[in-house]
Amino acid sequence: MIVREKFPHDKELEIPNVYRTADDAHPGVAQIRKQGNTCVAGDIDVVTTTYEPEFADFRLPPAKTRDAFAARGWNTVAAFQTRNPIHRSHEYLTKVALEMTDGLLIHPLVGETKSDDIPADVRMQCYRVLIDNYYNRDKTMLSVMPLAMRYAGPREAVLHTLIRKNYGVTHFIVGRDHAGVGNYYGTYDAQKIFDQFDLPKDIGVTILKFEHTAWCKTCAAVVSTKTCPHGPEHKVAPSGTKVRELLKAGQRPPNEFSRPEIADILIKWAQSMG
Ligand code: ADX
């Protein structure tokens, strides 16, 4: 870098404004606290010409992604951000979105995540198997988003939207507790933050908001709190801890929660972790 500018890293300004908390137990706050106290800025020269990034076959930069949409003739595209394997409720959001758009971009975040999140290489196997078996491949694209998670909830939802706009999408999915962690944000705060904008005019992207979704045994379908009259006792929604226990024990979570092909990849991973 040719350093043109140097300025103090004002963490006391950044932390509460980005994260709405200054609690060091918040993983995004902890990350900032670990960073240096000085920022530098300037032009960057790339000297490594042989660098082969992870997931090279799925790493499309924004301009190439926009070209890919144009080549497919997609005028409207919905993007799905995720840091998890795609389970049945996520699958529902993406397919409902695709009912309204020409194409779907599954755009998993593969940068740094919390140590207890599932690693990106395992998730990539899950996404590929899922798309091969359950999605219309003419209407679905998978590429990676090389970005670190901040777990900043609502403000990160806006960041995620702006970045995907640069990738050329017209619609962006925001479900329950988007980019949230622990109990720092309300379930729908990441949707409410968009109320202050005139959309799609201000940001150029339509936000597709989804309420909490899960399989309902009585409806025999994935439903949301908006579409289903039945209470939580009708839902198949094992806790994260329960799912991990099942996987470690070599057992698939219910098919209503996760497709068997995904469960099998996750079982292999969970068991390799010892
Ligand atoms: S996130 O950090 O990338 O938001 P995750 O991969 O769990 O985490 O979620 C991806 C997207 O799906 C987010 O928009 C999130 O709000 C939404 N989502 C996840 N699970 C559900 C669910 N059960 N119901 C509704 N939306 C959900």
Side-chain angles (χ1 to χ4, degrees):
M1 178 187 281
I2 315 290
V3 177
R4 308 268 184 219
E5 243 187 292
K6 199 170 152 191
F7 51 92
H9 186 179
D10 192 344
K11 298 183 184 180
E12 300 321 309
L13 177 73
E14 180 175 341
I15 289 172
N17 281 296
V18 171
Y19 297 100
R20 297 289 178 236
T21 172
D23 184 354
D24 286 345
H26 184 294
V29 173
Q31 193 61 30
I32 302 278
R33 293 246 188 257
K34 272 198 295 193
Q35 293 171 358
N37 290 319
T38 305
C39 299
V40 289
D43 300 331
I44 293 170
D45 281 324
V46 177
V47 289
T48 310
T49 53
T50 53
Y51 171 65
E52 178 74 8
E54 224 186 345
F55 316 120
D57 294 345
F58 294 91
R59 191 172 283 253
L60 272 192
K64 290 224 163 74
T65 309
R66 296 195 297 267
D67 291 347
F69 294 159
R72 286 168 165 78
W74 294 352
N75 291 318
T76 55
V77 183
F80 181 62
Q81 141 71 31
T82 184
R83 65 172 209 258
N84 279 304
I86 295 187
H87 297 305
R88 298 293 297 271
S89 45
H90 300 98
E91 184 182 327
Y92 172 80
L93 313 183
T94 59
K95 290 184 174 174
V96 170
L98 183 52
E99 293 290 357
M100 291 178 270
T101 54
D102 300 332
L104 170 70
L105 174 65
I106 297 187
H107 214 209
L109 180 146
V110 298
E112 205 178 323
T113 52
K114 296 190 278 98
S115 56
D116 59 344
D117 281 344
I118 295 173
D121 59 334
V122 177
R123 290 189 284 117
M124 282 302 283
Q125 292 173 40
C126 296
Y127 305 135
R128 293 175 65 178
V129 164
L130 186 75
I131 292 170
D132 282 350
N133 286 284
Y134 298 100
Y135 281 70
N136 177 349
R137 271 179 281 170
D138 294 339
K139 299 282 173 199
T140 309
M141 229 173 93
L142 171 67
S143 71
V144 297
M145 173 75 249
L147 180 76
M149 271 309 290
R150 270 83 178 167
Y151 306 94
R155 294 184 70 95
E156 189 162 6
V158 176
L159 175 72
H160 283 166
T161 305
L162 291 171
I163 294 173
R164 270 47 177 244
K165 179 196 175 178
N166 295 337
Y167 279 85
V169 312
T170 52
H171 294 68
F172 185 69
I173 296 168
V174 178
R176 63 119 179 81
D177 199 22
H178 183 106
V181 65
N183 292 321
Y184 289 99
Y185 310 107
T187 309
Y188 297 108
D189 283 1
Q191 299 183 359
K192 289 186 200 140
I193 193 169
F194 290 98
D195 293 346
Q196 65 192 281
F197 306 114
D198 178 8
L199 293 181
K201 194 158 68 60
D202 285 351
I203 296 188
V205 172
T206 299
I207 302 298
L208 298 174
K209 300 173 183 173
F210 287 91
E211 293 198 7
H212 199 149
T213 57
W215 182 274
C216 172
K217 289 180 263 189
T218 308
C219 295
V222 178
V223 297
S224 78
T225 38
K226 195 173 177 183
T227 59
C228 168
H230 307 114
E233 67 282 8
H234 295 250
K235 305 287 157 45
V236 179
S239 69
T241 315
K242 177 76 198 159
V243 170
R244 269 163 205 256
E245 273 172 25
L246 286 170
L247 297 174
K248 271 222 144 90
Q251 290 171 25
R252 290 176 180 164
N255 183 33
E256 293 83 0
F257 173 79
S258 190
R259 299 282 186 189
E261 294 85 348
I262 306 303
D264 290 346
I265 293 169
L266 296 177
I267 286 173
K268 229 164 125 192
W269 165 73
Q271 295 193 328
S272 75
M273 300 293 288

